[in-house]
Amino acid sequence: MIKGKVENIKDKIDGNELDLSLSNLTEVPVKELVSYVFFNVFVLFLLLHQPEFCSLTHLIKIDLSKNQLVCLPEEIGQLGILQHLDLYNNKLKMLPVGFSQLKSLKWLDLKDNPLELSLAKAAGDCLDEKQCKQCASRVLQHMRVLQEEAEKERERQLLKERELEKKKETKQREKEAREKEAQKKKKAEEKEKKRKEYQAQMAALAAQEQQKKKKEEKKKKAAQNQGKKTASECVPKAKRSMCSQFFSLLLKLLLLLIVGVASVIAVCQLTELRKEAFCVPLNVHFEETVRWAQGLEVVQQVIQKMSDLRT
């Protein structure tokens, strides 16, 4: 067919009917129909099908017979007051789920369409007015069942999607909880690590302080010991010095005494004073001492050696 448009819709109107068949149309002139026909047109004889005709919600009868339609638009359910629908001799295999919304439909013809088995069984024949009305009723019931099944399937699918979403959310929450727990554990480990490092630093500082104190105490004790040693060394030296001086003085006194006694003995022995009263006892003691000394073996040996030396 050649693409074209209806030049004058008014010429196609015959009373309350509009026949656009054999008009070389490639699309339905919906805008022209809506702007001109409005509610005055109740019957359309169309050669071609376009989904925009569903906007003509005032239609009560549509004849789409003897065309090449393979499907109907889902929006056909919007034709709420449609009562008569002729789909004879097309290439329809199934009807849209929205078809069940045609609650006012009283007449339907689906003959000579390659309908799928369950739909063909529901449609039956349309050889007279009664059969076409029964076809409309049975097909609407069949489509309602399909719609319910579709809705149930959508509900099952929606429920499945919700369950999947819940599982996904649960997994996400579990993942977030694990990540949160892992972060918490990591923070606790880092905190414990820092605490141990701090304790180690404090222990090291305490050990250094303890070692420093020990060194200071050791130095202090060494200094104290050195002072005691120096003091102890000074005391014996002082004592030795005093003892030496004492013995030296004592020796001098003794020598002086010996010299004095020897002088007195020499005076009493060698001078005329030996007969004096104070010399007599001294001489007696001296002679007795000499005899006692001569009686000593050591003295005799000394005297003998001296005699040998003279000879």
Side-chain angles (χ1 to χ4, degrees):
M1 294 187 65
I2 302 173
K3 183 178 180 180
K5 291 185 178 180
V6 178
E7 295 181 357
N8 193 345
I9 293 179
K10 184 177 180 180
D11 296 336
K12 302 292 183 178
I13 296 176
D14 183 11
N16 291 332
E17 295 184 357
L18 175 64
D19 187 356
L20 296 178
S21 61
L22 302 176
S23 298
N24 292 330
L25 295 175
T26 57
E27 60 182 16
V28 178
V30 177
K31 293 181 180 180
E32 290 79 359
L33 290 174
V34 173
S35 62
Y36 186 84
V37 178
F38 286 102
F39 298 100
N40 295 321
V41 178
F42 296 97
V43 181
L44 288 177
F45 294 94
L46 301 177
L47 179 63
L48 296 176
H49 161 67
Q50 292 292 332
E52 288 83 356
F53 83 88
C54 296
S55 62
L56 304 174
T57 57
H58 56 280
L59 298 177
I60 61 173
K61 184 175 181 179
I62 299 176
D63 189 345
L64 294 172
S65 62
K66 298 180 182 180
N67 283 291
Q68 303 295 316
L69 301 178
V70 296
C71 66
L72 295 178
E74 183 68 30
E75 295 81 5
I76 195 171
Q78 298 175 6
L79 304 178
I81 62 173
L82 183 66
Q83 298 179 11
H84 187 109
L85 179 60
D86 193 347
L87 295 172
Y88 168 72
N89 193 13
N90 279 280
K91 294 184 178 181
L92 298 171
K93 293 183 179 180
M94 57 190 305
L95 299 175
V97 177
F99 195 92
S100 63
Q101 301 299 319
L102 298 176
K103 297 179 181 180
S104 300
L105 188 66
K106 304 298 181 182
W107 194 97
L108 177 64
D109 189 359
L110 287 171
K111 292 192 307 294
D112 293 340
N113 279 283
L115 301 175
E116 57 96 18
L117 184 60
S118 61
L119 180 58
K121 185 177 179 180
D125 292 328
C126 183
L127 301 176
D128 54 30
E129 188 74 14
K130 182 179 179 181
Q131 288 183 344
C132 291
K133 288 182 178 180
Q134 290 176 349
C135 175
S137 177
R138 289 195 300 267
V139 169
L140 286 176
Q141 182 64 28
H142 176 73
M143 295 308 298
R144 290 189 186 103
V145 172
L146 292 181
Q147 185 180 22
E148 291 176 357
E149 292 178 355
E151 289 177 354
K152 290 180 180 180
E153 181 61 26
R154 284 196 297 271
E155 289 178 358
R156 286 193 294 269
Q157 188 65 27
L158 182 60
L159 181 61
K160 185 177 180 180
E161 290 176 357
R162 288 177 180 176
E163 290 177 353
L164 291 175
E165 187 66 24
K166 287 181 179 180
K167 289 181 180 180
K168 185 177 179 181
E169 290 176 356
T170 301
K171 288 183 179 180
Q172 183 65 24
R173 286 194 297 268
E174 291 176 352
K175 182 180 178 181
E176 291 175 355
R178 287 194 300 269
E179 291 177 351
K180 186 176 180 180
E181 186 65 24
Q183 291 178 355
K184 185 177 179 181
K185 184 178 180 181
K186 184 178 179 181
K187 288 182 179 179
E189 290 176 352
E190 291 177 353
K191 185 177 180 180
E192 182 66 16
K193 183 179 178 181
K194 290 180 179 179
R195 186 183 67 81
K196 288 183 178 179
E197 290 177 352
Y198 175 75
Q199 288 181 345
Q201 291 177 356
M202 296 302 296
L205 291 174
Q208 291 178 358
E209 289 293 329
Q210 188 69 21
Q211 189 175 4
K212 185 177 179 181
K213 287 181 179 179
K214 287 181 179 180
K215 288 182 178 180
E216 290 177 354
E217 290 177 357
K218 188 175 181 180
K219 288 180 179 180
K220 188 176 180 180
K221 288 181 179 180
Q224 290 176 353
N225 292 332
Q226 185 66 29
K228 289 180 180 179
K229 184 177 179 181
T230 304
S232 62
E233 288 178 353
C234 291
V235 171
K237 287 182 179 180
K239 288 183 178 180
R240 287 197 296 269
S241 178
M242 291 178 66
C243 291
S244 177
Q245 293 177 1
F246 175 75
F247 283 114
S248 177
L249 180 60
L250 184 61
L251 182 58
K252 290 179 180 180
L253 292 173
L254 183 59
L255 289 174
L256 182 60
L257 180 61
I258 292 172
V259 171
V261 171
S263 300
V264 172
I265 292 172
V267 170
C268 289
Q269 286 288 325
L270 299 176
T271 63
E272 294 179 355
L273 295 176
R274 63 177 177 275
K275 293 181 180 181
E276 292 294 330
F278 69 88
C279 287
V280 172
L282 182 60
N283 290 333
V284 172
H285 286 296
F286 175 73
E287 289 175 358
E288 288 177 354
T289 300
V290 171
R291 285 194 298 270
W292 171 79
Q294 288 177 352
L296 294 174
E297 184 176 356
V298 176
V299 176
Q300 291 178 359
Q301 290 177 0
V302 172
I303 293 171
Q304 182 64 36
K305 287 181 179 180
M306 290 177 67
S307 299
D308 293 338
L309 288 172
R310 290 176 182 177
T311 59

